[in-house]
Amino acid sequence: YVANESTQTFEILIYEDDNSTTKTLKIDNQNINITHKFEIDQNSILFKDNIPYMFNNMESDENGLNHLILDFDKPKEVSYGKLVLTAKNSYWLDFMYGKFNEKFGTYFDEFQRKQESVSAKKSNQWMLDQGIPLGVYVKTPDGWKLVEYVNVVGPLSNRDIVIPINFDTVNSNTIQIKLECGFMFWEIDYAAMDFSENNSIEVTYLSPSKAFDEQGRDLKLQLTATDNLYLEQPTIGNIATIEFEA
């Protein structure tokens, strides 16, 4: 992802059939002009190879959203599964949200202050309206049924996400899953369905045995309990090293 602020030209490096190609998006003060139509092979989600599906179809639906439909063969007498995704948000979403905030100019601090009093319900609905969370749907005889919205995970690294899905109303031998979000807001590197039975597990919560920053200062007090003491890392290069006893 390369940005040239002086010319307002942004380049995104994508991969198609193992050959890298660069496409350009030109941005002016009013709108976004996409000068090339580009797509990526949807089969890229079959492997964890850092070649993601990017939800960059130029023909979005009536709500302005992009989607990817996945088909899975359903074993007989199975009514439950776990969708396994390796995914992250795109730098494009990060960039667009930054540009959105820039539009407030000197009013941004006042806008941010007012946002503190906005209800969580209203804030979440705004995010849904923009297509920011990743919508997960399963196809039923009555149409697409929402399973879950996956909240943002950031653009820095892929996250492994497991989503339980009940499809006892699905009568066919195929499970159809739809992933939906705004244009290029998410990147899916891998997708699979786990039909194995759930095993009982025992969860043990461990407190840090050691926690210290880059200068050797003890951080255990900020991290040991759920309280109003937070670990703050205000400067680039701040490091927290946390150790647990096995």
Side-chain angles (χ1 to χ4, degrees):
Y1 170 78
V2 182
N4 185 332
E5 289 285 358
S6 62
T7 62
Q8 288 291 287
T9 297
F10 296 82
E11 296 182 343
I12 296 176
L13 184 65
I14 64 173
Y15 299 90
E16 296 176 346
D17 299 328
D18 297 328
N19 296 317
S20 62
T21 59
T22 301
K23 306 300 183 183
T24 302
L25 295 98
K26 294 183 178 179
I27 300 177
D28 59 32
N29 292 330
Q30 300 297 325
N31 52 32
I32 302 171
N33 299 317
I34 301 176
T35 58
H36 294 79
K37 177 177 179 178
F38 56 94
E39 296 179 353
I40 203 163
D41 185 3
Q42 295 183 12
N43 289 328
S44 63
I45 63 172
L46 298 177
F47 309 98
K48 291 185 178 182
D49 51 12
N50 291 318
I51 305 177
Y53 178 71
M54 301 174 65
F55 293 96
N56 56 2
N57 191 332
M58 303 300 292
E59 298 177 0
S60 57
D61 64 15
E62 64 273 11
N63 297 316
L65 300 177
N66 265 239
H67 66 261
L68 173 66
I69 295 178
L70 309 172
D71 288 353
F72 298 96
D73 293 332
K74 183 174 76 70
K76 293 182 179 179
E77 300 180 357
V78 169
S79 61
Y80 178 86
K82 297 173 284 289
L83 178 66
V84 180
L85 300 176
T86 299
K88 65 177 181 177
N89 293 110
S90 66
Y91 282 104
W92 173 249
L93 172 60
D94 194 53
F95 165 75
M96 291 297 292
Y97 187 68
K99 286 295 182 181
F100 168 77
N101 287 330
E102 283 182 11
K103 296 298 183 182
F104 289 96
T106 57
Y107 181 72
F108 178 74
D109 290 340
E110 178 67 13
F111 165 75
Q112 194 173 38
R113 184 186 64 80
K114 290 184 176 181
Q115 288 298 106
E116 294 176 358
S117 61
V118 175
S119 67
K121 181 179 180 179
K122 185 175 181 180
S123 296
N124 289 336
Q125 186 59 54
W126 179 85
M127 293 182 66
L128 294 177
D129 293 341
Q130 312 310 310
I132 294 176
L134 180 67
V136 180
Y137 298 80
V138 61
K139 187 66 171 294
T140 72
D142 297 324
W144 291 108
K145 177 183 177 181
L146 175 66
V147 176
E148 186 174 335
Y149 284 115
V150 180
N151 284 326
V152 294
V153 298
L156 295 181
S157 62
N158 282 318
R159 304 292 182 92
D160 291 326
I161 303 168
V162 178
I163 303 165
I165 300 178
N166 189 318
F167 34 78
D168 53 1
T169 61
V170 178
N171 300 320
S172 68
N173 296 323
T174 300
I175 300 297
Q176 277 198 322
I177 302 295
K178 179 170 71 170
L179 306 178
E180 186 176 76
C181 66
F183 179 77
M184 287 182 62
F185 284 0
W186 284 79
E187 297 178 3
I188 306 296
D189 187 41
Y190 176 75
M193 184 69 76
D194 177 11
F195 294 104
S196 64
E197 294 184 2
N198 289 332
N199 295 320
S200 60
I201 60 173
E202 181 179 344
V203 179
T204 302
Y205 294 94
L206 300 176
S207 296
S209 58
K210 293 182 181 180
F212 50 90
D213 65 11
E214 70 279 2
Q215 298 181 11
R217 291 176 295 196
D218 191 354
L219 302 174
K220 282 183 62 177
L221 183 63
Q222 293 95 318
L223 299 174
T224 300
T226 302
D227 49 28
N228 290 323
L229 297 177
Y230 297 92
L231 168 63
E232 297 182 359
Q233 295 180 305
T235 306
I236 295 175
N238 285 153
I239 296 173
T241 301
I242 306 171
E243 298 182 3
F244 299 88
E245 291 184 359

